[in-house]
Amino acid sequence: MAAGDELKIRTGGGGGRKPIGSRKSNEWAGLRCSAEAHLISSQTNGPGVLRMYSIHQKPTARRPPRRRMPRCPLLLGAAPRPPPAALRLLLRRRMASSEPARAFQLRLNPLTGDSEWLVVDDAEPEAPAPPTQHRQLLAATSYLDMLNDAARNRAYRHAIDATVTDPTSRVLDIGAGTGLLSMMAARALAAAGGDGRGSVSACEAYLPMGKLTRRVLRANGMQNKVKVFHKRSDELRVGVELDSRADTMVSEILDSELLGEGLIPTLQHAHDELLVKNPKSVPYRATTYGVLVESTSLWKMHDLHSNEANAEDGVWLTPGGTENILSVKQQQHAMQCDALADEIRLLSEPFKVFEFDFWKRPDSHGETKIEIRATADGHAHAIISWWVLQLDAAGSVFYSTAPRWVRQLSGVDLPQCTNGMKDWCDHWKQCVWFIQGTGAPAKKDQNLSLRASHGQTSISYQLNMNDEVSSRSPKGDHLTLLPERVGLYGDKDWRSALISVVRNAMSERSSPTCIVADDSVFLALIVSSLLPSSKVITMFPGLRDKGLNYLQAVVNANNLSMDRIKVIGRKAPSLTMNDLQNEKVNLIVGEPFYHGSEGILPWQNLRFWNERTLLDPLLSENAFTVPCKGILRFCAMSLPDLWRSRCSLRDVEGFDHSVVNDTFGACGDLPGEQQGPCLPYYVWQCGYTKKLSKVYSLMDFNFSEPIHSCFGKTKIEFAYDGICHGFAVWIDWVLDEKSLTVISTGPESRYWKQGVQLLSRPVQVNPSNSVMHVEARFDHDTGELTFKSVLL
């Protein structure tokens, strides 16, 4: 196996093993796959690399690569199998030699759910550019957005300049990324008169990112001023990699919740093994804040039971007495709460929750009790939280992730951009904690008791200590979903559309055999309830046993019997006529929805089309499919905030970062018509947005045909003046053959992500003379959709 080669080993996607990471996508601390392979990343937003396993002597964690949406929860139905034993043996042998580090990399095909392990050799760290698969992975991270956050970069520069003033400083950068903080420290060291007595060391565990770090250092003439180690911080040893303990630490290992990237265990190890006593640090301190809010919009993403009662359709995902059997997981959910400013009532002043000092060893666990005085009458639905960084010891440099609407209440000035408003960014959001049960009534001037707790990677809340629901452990039949999925399951119109179409389809079949091809527990219940003689086969490729246990708990409440529902828990290729008791299927349904894939691009749910194709030998001649078709739609949009966060880099606080633009999929100043990748976003959370055209259709996906590649093109005329930054792209699901019932997943809905394709350059458009040619191509082998647009 030559240096730089890749060894591919296909797997079946994991069987029924317990999930490796079950809290959320960025919970990585302490996770293990084997003694040789360790999970250091857990989610991307698309079909690229989902997991990376690095080969190390220690299985303890350091830090995952940054993700754009990794701070959204990932609820896995089953984990991938660890790398095969033969592969581990091969890498153990190579570890014993002096050859460079290797890494396992798991890539999933979005249309099949199948996976393959890649063994990536990093023998050539000075290569000019990372391989294609790494560019795809890095483009989906939040690095580009962070480097475009001028307020963040400026705050770190001021704090590092104020902190690194001793020419003999020994600086350690943990989680170096592109090396920006390391270069700031090296520059400050030189300005202090450093002549080789001080040093800057940086560690970056993710190998492709580490190679990019070296490219950035070379581009800035810093390659001899910063020592880079392709290791986690807990693998560094004083006397081996480091000459002595560091007296100064710089780092940025924070997610929207603050702790989710392993801040606490990282600081604990650093203080135990790598730092002097009472070191200098940038940041110096982090403080988390919260506020009680009333918000009907947020509550719809939590209180499924009440929404089902309002729907009055007779289908109960949360029957009476078991209201919490299907719920949002008890954790903080990252969300752009600025977009909810008009839909939120504050019921308290902001309150301080926890304070974490970087310059001293933190505790693994902590708890605090807070008395909150209600400022208005209302019903507390959620706690919205954020954090404030004090970057320097003197307390003169701050950075905050607070939403705009608490700016006047926060007590700390928020970072400003040139127009006087807080910068919109995607790498750090606010967090929403849904108050359990039915929420909490509040009266003005009433005191409410809040207990906040933190572990090593998360913060949790309990409002009013006698709230038994908050402290109750979930049962085995308890199913947790993302807030957006819970909100969708409670949407009256969505439920009505599916029930109506399925009822009509089943009325034409006296004794239908139906396959629920995806992870829809809702469809499994309505198909079973609409016709007592039906037989229902539920695939549940992601939910598996969780789906089975859940159905068993709710079928009686829906007056059903599990005798007519069979949960396969396998993928379509493994289904045989024996599973169907030799009866052909005449109805196949899906939302489509695949558990654990909520953050993907819309067209990756065309996995349903692939499943339908694979199931074709088992279907009767008159089999009906719901949905029967998908339509790719798009709309030209002005997206200035998103554009600024994704635009190409040049100077970042005095350091040239232009070498990262191609790798990170930056927009603007790119050669020719080159465009960045299409990435998934909730468009309604993308800051300022404006539609510039009507909605156009690009191509149809007919599910009565075998899956195949598709091509579509159209010319669009603009309806409004403005600057076009790109397109929002989504799929509308046509439920019936007459196209009378269509479920749109476009920007008007808050429960689905759309794809956003930014142009190579923004263009000024107007209705009188602006026309653009847009074309798209869908590759059924890879599941990828590519776009091309030209202003005529």
Side-chain angles (χ1 to χ4, degrees):
M1 181 174 174
D5 287 350
E6 296 177 347
L7 173 63
K8 298 182 180 181
I9 299 183
R10 293 191 174 276
T11 72
R17 293 176 182 267
K18 183 179 179 181
I20 295 179
S22 57
R23 191 185 75 85
K24 64 182 194 178
S25 64
N26 56 15
E27 179 174 307
W28 53 269
L31 304 178
R32 292 169 173 80
C33 176
S34 71
E36 299 82 29
H38 169 71
L39 176 64
I40 65 169
S41 70
S42 60
Q43 182 186 4
T44 64
N45 301 298
V49 179
L50 289 190
R51 288 180 174 79
M52 169 68 76
Y53 291 78
S54 288
I55 304 308
H56 298 297
Q57 299 291 345
K58 296 180 180 180
T60 52
R62 227 310 300 134
R63 177 194 182 190
R66 289 191 172 279
R67 296 281 183 265
R68 233 188 75 263
M69 292 306 297
R71 300 176 176 89
C72 289
L74 176 65
L75 307 173
L76 298 173
R81 293 187 180 94
L87 188 55
R88 299 199 302 271
L89 178 60
L90 167 66
L91 292 173
R92 276 203 302 269
R93 290 172 178 172
R94 303 197 71 165
M95 282 173 56
S97 69
S98 59
E99 297 182 35
R102 310 301 194 280
F104 290 123
Q105 188 164 304
L106 179 64
R107 177 181 297 171
L108 294 186
N109 184 321
L111 294 184
T112 65
D114 291 333
S115 59
E116 63 181 16
W117 287 104
L118 306 178
V119 181
V120 182
D121 192 323
D122 195 53
E124 298 176 355
E126 304 303 320
T132 300
Q133 71 273 9
H134 297 145
R135 286 200 297 271
Q136 294 171 344
L137 174 61
L138 290 170
T141 67
S142 62
Y143 283 110
L144 184 60
D145 180 49
M146 286 193 304
L147 292 167
N148 272 306
D149 186 347
R152 165 195 176 269
N153 302 335
R154 185 168 56 249
Y156 265 96
R157 173 173 63 83
H158 288 319
I160 289 174
D161 287 346
T163 302
V164 183
T165 56
D166 186 339
T168 65
S169 297
R170 301 179 302 279
V171 183
L172 174 61
D173 181 0
I174 296 180
T178 63
L180 177 62
L181 305 188
S182 295
M183 292 189 294
M184 288 180 176
R187 182 173 60 189
L189 190 62
D195 54 3
R197 291 174 292 167
S199 65
V200 179
S201 300
C203 60
E204 174 55 55
Y206 183 46
L207 301 184
M209 191 66 224
K211 295 169 72 173
L212 187 59
T213 306
R214 295 184 183 276
R215 292 180 61 203
V216 175
L217 292 175
R218 289 198 305 273
N220 289 276
M222 287 279 189
Q223 65 271 30
N224 296 323
K225 298 180 181 180
V226 178
K227 296 179 181 178
V228 179
F229 301 102
H230 296 306
K231 295 185 176 184
R232 305 186 309 267
S233 63
D234 65 359
E235 295 179 305
L236 299 180
R237 292 167 293 173
V238 174
V240 182
E241 291 84 7
L242 305 180
D243 294 333
S244 61
R245 286 179 176 251
D247 53 50
T248 305
M249 176 184 65
V250 298
S251 64
E252 197 283 84
I253 47 175
L254 314 172
D255 70 345
S256 295
E257 190 178 9
L258 186 72
L259 304 183
E261 286 192 6
L263 174 65
I264 287 178
T266 298
L267 290 179
Q268 288 176 336
H269 178 269
H271 283 282
D272 289 344
E273 303 292 339
L274 305 177
L275 302 174
V276 300
K277 187 176 181 180
N278 297 324
K280 297 179 179 179
S281 68
V282 178
Y284 181 81
R285 175 177 293 134
T287 306
T288 61
Y289 292 87
V291 66
L292 282 180
V293 302
E294 177 183 79
S295 173
T296 302
S297 298
L298 286 177
W299 199 241
K300 287 180 179 179
M301 299 184 188
H302 172 74
D303 188 4
L304 178 57
H305 184 74
S306 295
N307 289 328
E308 285 195 310
N310 293 332
E312 298 179 339
D313 52 31
V315 180
W316 288 96
L317 294 168
T318 57
T322 62
E323 287 87 347
N324 294 294
I325 193 169
L326 191 157
S327 68
V328 174
K329 191 170 185 179
Q330 283 189 251
Q331 67 179 47
Q332 296 204 81
H333 299 272
M335 199 174 297
Q336 293 280 9
C337 292
D338 277 336
L340 295 168
D342 296 333
E343 304 167 47
I344 284 177
R345 288 185 64 233
L346 301 184
L347 297 182
S348 76
E349 298 287 338
F351 47 83
K352 184 167 74 173
V353 183
F354 287 114
E355 196 169 80
F356 301 92
D357 291 322
F358 288 67
W359 56 272
K360 65 181 181 181
R361 191 183 194 278
D363 294 329
S364 295
H365 302 278
E367 184 174 299
T368 184
K369 294 182 180 179
I370 306 166
E371 291 296 318
I372 303 172
R373 183 182 178 185
T375 57
D377 293 346
H379 203 90
H381 291 139
I383 296 170
I384 292 180
S385 65
W386 63 93
W387 46 259
V388 175
L389 281 186
Q390 176 186 331
L391 285 105
D392 64 328
S396 61
V397 185
F398 291 90
Y399 182 97
S400 174
T401 63
R404 288 191 182 100
W405 37 262
V406 299
R407 181 174 172 184
Q408 301 302 321
L409 305 174
S410 66
V412 175
D413 289 337
L414 304 185
Q416 305 287 311
C417 59
T418 55
N419 63 0
M421 299 298 290
K422 176 178 177 284
D423 283 308
W424 181 89
C425 66
D426 191 52
H427 57 96
W428 288 319
K429 306 177 180 69
Q430 295 77 46
C431 284
V432 175
W433 175 277
F434 294 99
I435 295 172
Q436 293 302 295
T438 58
K443 295 289 185 181
K444 186 177 180 179
D445 296 328
Q446 175 189 2
N447 286 330
L448 302 173
S449 297
L450 178 71
R451 180 165 59 205
S453 305
H454 78 79
Q456 288 199 326
T457 58
S458 64
I459 297 174
S460 60
Y461 301 95
Q462 187 177 341
L463 186 64
N464 296 328
M465 262 58 92
N466 60 354
D467 183 357
E468 297 181 0
V469 175
S470 298
S471 58
R472 195 161 38 198
S473 299
K475 299 179 180 179
D477 53 13
H478 181 221
L479 186 61
T480 56
L481 300 174
L482 292 185
E484 292 78 14
R485 179 60 44 179
V486 170
L488 180 66
Y489 276 170
D491 185 88
K492 184 176 181 178
D493 293 337
W494 180 85
R495 292 166 66 103
S496 175
L498 280 175
I499 290 173
S500 176
V501 170
V502 172
R503 177 184 287 115
N504 291 339
M506 297 183 69
S507 66
E508 301 175 4
R509 294 158 176 81
S510 58
S511 182
T513 297
C514 173
I515 287 182
V516 180
D518 60 358
D519 284 308
S520 177
V521 292
F522 181 75
L523 284 172
L525 288 176
I526 66 170
V527 172
S528 303
S529 63
L530 289 176
L531 194 62
S533 60
S534 63
K535 297 179 181 178
V536 184
I537 310 296
T538 55
M539 300 297 290
F540 287 169
L543 287 176
R544 298 179 184 260
D545 289 344
K546 289 183 179 180
L548 172 62
N549 294 338
Y550 168 80
L551 285 182
Q552 289 176 332
V554 300
V555 291
N556 289 337
N558 285 275
N559 297 316
L560 304 176
S561 170
M562 282 299 293
D563 293 341
R564 294 189 295 103
I565 305 176
K566 183 175 183 179
V567 177
I568 298 295
R570 302 199 306 268
K571 296 178 182 178
S574 66
L575 200 64
T576 67
M577 289 300 296
N578 289 333
D579 296 309
L580 306 177
Q581 297 178 339
N582 295 314
E583 293 188 16
K584 288 278 188 175
V585 173
N586 47 26
L587 181 63
I588 178 170
V589 298
E591 296 182 20
F593 159 60
Y594 295 92
H595 191 59
S597 300
E598 292 89 339
I600 64 176
L601 289 159
W603 43 90
Q604 287 161 9
N605 278 320
L606 290 175
R607 174 177 176 178
F608 177 77
W609 192 9
N610 189 65
E611 301 279 310
R612 164 65 175 82
T613 302
L614 293 171
L615 292 171
D616 192 67
L618 308 179
L619 305 182
S620 64
E621 291 184 359
N622 65 339
F624 186 69
T625 304
V626 178
C628 62
K629 182 169 66 172
I631 304 175
L632 184 71
R633 300 194 192 275
F634 75 100
C635 176
M637 299 196 71
S638 179
L639 301 159
D641 291 315
L642 183 59
W643 173 269
R644 281 194 293 268
S645 75
R646 296 292 307 175
C647 66
S648 58
L649 300 166
R650 291 182 180 176
D651 179 281
V652 180
E653 295 301 320
F655 297 106
D656 181 9
H657 272 69
S658 59
V659 296
V660 309
N661 288 328
D662 177 60
T663 301
F664 287 156
C667 301
D669 299 325
L670 300 182
E673 296 300 323
Q674 181 179 341
Q675 297 178 158
C678 189
L679 298 173
Y681 290 93
Y682 291 109
V683 169
W684 71 276
Q685 295 187 43
C686 287
Y688 176 82
T689 64
K690 177 185 177 181
K691 289 186 177 181
L692 298 178
S693 75
K694 68 176 186 179
V695 174
Y696 287 84
S697 300
L698 262 178
M699 65 179 76
D700 291 357
F701 309 104
N702 189 343
F703 300 154
S704 65
E705 303 171 351
I707 189 170
H708 57 83
S709 297
C710 303
F711 175 81
K713 62 180 180 179
T714 188
K715 289 182 180 179
I716 68 170
E717 297 179 352
F718 292 88
Y720 305 98
D721 292 332
I723 298 177
C724 181
H725 297 96
F727 304 93
V729 193
W730 64 93
I731 288 184
D732 284 351
W733 305 107
V734 180
L735 301 186
D736 62 323
E737 292 178 324
K738 295 182 180 180
S739 300
L740 298 177
T741 308
V742 179
I743 292 178
S744 178
T745 65
E748 287 75 15
S749 173
R750 294 184 171 181
Y751 301 143
W752 285 280
K753 284 186 176 180
Q754 295 78 44
V756 175
Q757 177 67 65
L758 296 176
L759 304 178
S760 56
R761 293 175 181 82
V763 293
Q764 180 73 46
V765 298
N766 60 75
S768 60
N769 58 12
S770 296
V771 177
M772 185 172 288
H773 174 86
V774 179
E775 62 183 49
R777 188 179 302 274
F778 170 70
D779 186 337
H780 80 284
D781 290 324
T782 64
E784 294 181 358
L785 193 69
T786 55
F787 296 91
K788 182 179 179 180
S789 57
V790 179
L791 186 67
L792 303 179

